[in-house]
Amino acid sequence: MKEYEIIIETINPCGGTKHAQNEIIEAEAESPEAYVKEHGIFPVMDVSKNTSGDVIITTGDSKGYIVRYTFTE
């Protein structure tokens, strides 16, 4: 298991990213994908990495609700 700092951005269709709710937590997980599969409420839409090497997983529904997880080791 690895230790991650996770930034969770919850975005609703009305407010967009400007009014996203942000939460920062620390958690242990086998992988970022395993964490989102266990704790996420929406299906995974995209998995990418930023220039720092952090894993970004975007989940959402078809109505505009998005939850973006950024995992830093």
Side-chain angles (χ1 to χ4, degrees):
M1 292 256 238
K2 292 183 180 179
E3 177 102 8
Y4 295 98
E5 178 182 272
I6 308 167
I7 300 172
I8 303 170
E9 300 172 87
T10 304
I11 304 163
N12 71 45
C14 296
T17 57
K18 184 176 180 182
H19 298 287
Q21 294 178 342
N22 295 315
E23 178 183 5
I24 299 173
I25 62 170
E26 290 186 7
E28 286 187 358
E30 290 292 327
S31 68
E33 293 84 357
Y35 179 87
V36 172
K37 186 175 182 179
E38 182 178 339
H39 297 284
I41 57 173
F42 299 124
V44 173
M45 295 173 15
D46 183 55
V47 179
S48 61
K49 286 190 177 187
N50 63 16
T51 56
S52 301
D54 302 331
V55 176
I56 301 170
I57 299 178
T58 305
T59 67
D61 65 1
S62 61
K63 298 176 184 150
Y65 289 93
I66 296 172
V67 180
R68 183 179 304 127
Y69 301 86
T70 303
F71 290 82
T72 304
E73 286 189 48

